[in-house]
Amino acid sequence: MASATYLQSLDSVYEDGTPRGVTPSNRRQIETFIAKEVIAIGDWVAFDIAATADGDVTLGVYKADSNSAPVRPAFGVALHAATAAEDKIEVCISGVCNASVGDNGGAGSAIGTLLQTTSTAGTVDVASAASALPVCGILAEAVPGGAGITLKRVVVRKSF
C-alpha cells in the first residue's frame, strides 16, 4: 500500500498551531511489505531480489546487507519491528526517520554525510567511492566518534 506523493501543504503546523510532525507536504513516503526475517525498528531493509516469482521480488524485505549472497542494497528503513518472518512491516522509502547508522569506524560522521549499505545487516555507514552500492540516505544528525551503531535521524533517498 503506497502513500501519496502529491504536495498537500507547505505549512509546518495545522491551523490550530499543532505541529504536523515529520509529514508536512507529505515529505515522508511509507510502503507496507512482508518481512522475510526478524527486523528491528530502524533497520535498513532490502528487496528479496533472489525471489523466483517476479511479484515476490518487491513483496518481501530482508535486512540490507552487503555481505549476503546476493548483496541486498538498502532502499528504506523499518518504522516498526517484525518479530517473525511473514509479519507486515511499514518502511520509510523516502523522507526523514530514525535509522541504524555506524560510526565510520570510530571516527564519527557529520550532518550531510552520504550513507551506504554495510556488511552489518540492517545498518548503513559512510558511503565509499570504491563501492558500487547506491547511496541510500543522508545523515541528518551527527554521529559522535566511538558511538558504535546507533539510531540517528536520516533522510532516506528514494532509489527506485
Side-chain angles (χ1 to χ4, degrees):
M1 177 165 72
S3 53
T5 57
Y6 54 86
L7 189 62
Q8 294 178 2
S9 172
L10 289 177
D11 299 322
S12 62
V13 295
Y14 290 104
E15 290 74 21
D16 67 358
T18 306
R20 290 184 188 263
V22 298
T23 58
S25 301
N26 202 25
R27 299 287 196 242
R28 178 194 273 185
Q29 192 173 2
I30 298 169
E31 298 275 352
T32 303
F33 297 93
I34 296 173
K36 294 294 204 164
E37 62 183 336
V38 173
I39 296 173
I41 294 171
D43 276 351
W44 288 82
V45 297
F47 291 123
D48 182 7
I49 56 177
T52 54
D54 290 349
D56 290 343
V57 172
T58 57
L59 178 63
V61 293
Y62 287 96
K63 291 180 187 178
D65 186 356
S66 66
N67 226 17
S68 64
V71 171
R72 297 180 178 137
F75 77 87
V77 176
L79 297 177
H80 306 285
T83 57
E86 302 303 318
D87 282 356
K88 289 184 181 174
I89 187 168
E90 285 190 335
V91 174
C92 174
I93 63 166
S94 178
V96 178
C97 63
N98 290 325
S100 181
V101 179
D103 68 355
N104 191 19
S109 301
I111 292 172
T113 299
L114 299 178
L115 302 169
Q116 193 173 54
T117 306
T118 68
S119 60
T120 303
T123 301
V124 298
D125 212 327
V126 174
S128 165
S131 175
L133 291 170
V135 169
C136 56
I138 303 166
L139 194 56
E141 181 179 1
V143 177
I149 297 171
T150 56
L151 286 178
K152 293 295 181 183
R153 186 175 59 235
V154 301
V155 178
V156 177
R157 182 175 175 213
K158 194 167 185 178
S159 57
F160 60 94

